[in-house]
Amino acid sequence: MRPDIVTFWHGPLDRLRTLCLRSQVAAGHKVTVYSFDPLPGLPEGVANAEAEAVLPHAFSEKLRPPQPDGSWRDWTTLQFSDFFRMRLMAQNAGLWLDADVLLLRPVEIDPAKPYFAWERPRQLGNSVLYLPADDSIVTAFADLMAQDELTPNWLSLRHRMVFAMRRLRGGSQRLSDIRVAIYGPASLTALARRGGQIGHALPKQSFYAVHAEPKLFFDPSDFSGLIADPDVIGLHISPKGRGNQAPLPGSLHAWAAERFA
């Protein structure tokens, strides 16, 4: 089946994310962006839904206190979205795509099976994610979210030691401060291994061909092989501050901007 696409965004959308959302609509998917505030400038065909109904804004305070003006600090948005996508899975809302995933072709899933891909040799990515509502990974996150301290029972020995040493030295008492992606790909990989779902992972090329090397997207290059490869379903782009950059002629970015204008 061709699933609905869902995601979460906090703050203003940049040009790159707007482009990626257009590509998801062009692939024939219904796309919904959840947010706490209205998002002006969403592409035609992209719906905006209230995030509070999925995961309350107050949950962010379990991660870290807000700034004096109420805004979120450093890693809060990224980590909040790690929990938000799992709550959407529990609600059977659809396929999660990060807002910076450019689709080259439609995504087809089996709703009874997990859908994700390798981001690195030993780590799954969670930028593209579907899990059945009764999946053990979804259940594990539901149990975790009921805690005040948000300490996973699947935490690796290395991370347990880092956290213990930090606490002994008088550092942060919050696990969320030891690593930005502590609840993201590392957790997904550990739980998929524990639950036996790791075999469902797609090859890295399916979505993460340019993820670790954004220059392959932003700089002029020969990208013909990427867009012609039927195994490349989409591209998760890590913009690293280039989200509002104008496309450079001869780049994959320029090709995508013209195709999905």
Side-chain angles (χ1 to χ4, degrees):
M1 61 167 283
R2 186 174 299 181
D4 294 345
I5 289 173
V6 290
T7 197
F8 168 79
W9 192 256
H10 191 64
L13 280 167
D14 59 25
R15 294 172 63 176
L16 175 66
R17 273 74 177 196
T18 302
L19 171 63
C20 290
L21 291 171
R22 288 204 301 266
S23 76
Q24 296 168 17
V25 173
H29 292 273
K30 176 183 176 183
V31 181
T32 300
V33 181
Y34 290 81
S35 63
F36 289 111
D37 300 307
L39 289 174
L42 282 174
E44 183 177 353
V46 178
N48 190 196
E50 175 54 59
E52 187 74 19
V54 177
L55 185 60
H57 189 282
F59 181 82
S60 65
E61 296 179 17
K62 287 188 175 185
L63 297 167
R64 59 188 53 80
Q67 301 278 14
D69 64 359
S71 61
W72 285 353
R73 299 176 185 269
D74 44 63
W75 299 346
T76 303
T77 300
L78 179 62
Q79 292 178 342
F80 186 91
S81 75
D82 290 334
F83 289 97
F84 197 92
R85 72 196 71 194
M86 289 297 179
R87 184 60 68 88
L88 288 173
M89 296 302 105
Q91 296 182 2
N92 199 30
L95 169 74
W96 171 280
L97 292 186
D98 277 8
D100 51 7
V101 172
L102 184 87
L103 278 190
L104 301 181
R105 47 190 50 85
V107 179
E108 302 287 342
I109 68 169
D110 179 342
K113 298 178 181 178
Y115 188 91
F116 40 59
W118 291 107
E119 179 183 310
R120 298 190 178 114
R122 291 184 297 277
Q123 180 173 283
L124 299 173
N126 71 341
S127 301
V128 178
L129 179 67
Y130 169 79
L131 297 167
D134 60 354
D135 190 273
S136 62
I137 298 173
V138 177
T139 302
F141 261 85
D143 292 342
L144 175 63
M145 293 170 74
Q147 299 179 15
D148 288 331
E149 65 276 10
L150 297 180
T151 303
N153 60 22
W154 59 85
L155 196 64
S156 70
L157 177 60
R158 178 171 66 89
H159 286 139
R160 289 182 187 277
M161 292 177 64
V162 169
F163 188 41
M165 291 300 296
R166 182 171 293 195
R167 295 179 72 174
L168 284 172
R169 293 170 179 166
S172 173
Q173 302 298 299
R174 294 185 302 270
L175 179 70
S176 56
D177 285 337
I178 75 167
R179 185 183 175 195
V180 61
I182 193 70
Y183 302 115
S187 287
L188 177 62
T189 306
L191 287 171
R193 290 192 186 283
R194 188 170 78 176
Q197 299 102 319
I198 205 80
H200 291 288
L202 296 170
K204 175 185 175 181
Q205 193 75 355
S206 58
F207 286 101
Y208 297 100
V210 304
H211 169 68
E213 298 182 79
K215 66 180 182 180
L216 296 178
F217 181 79
F218 290 104
D219 295 349
S221 65
D222 178 7
F223 52 82
S224 57
L226 272 179
I227 61 176
D229 187 342
D231 293 328
V232 179
I233 303 167
L235 300 169
H236 178 237
I237 302 151
S238 181
K240 301 188 185 305
R242 302 168 82 173
N244 276 317
Q245 173 181 299
L248 296 176
S251 67
L252 181 51
H253 187 191
W255 173 87
E258 181 178 356
R259 177 173 178 180
F260 301 115

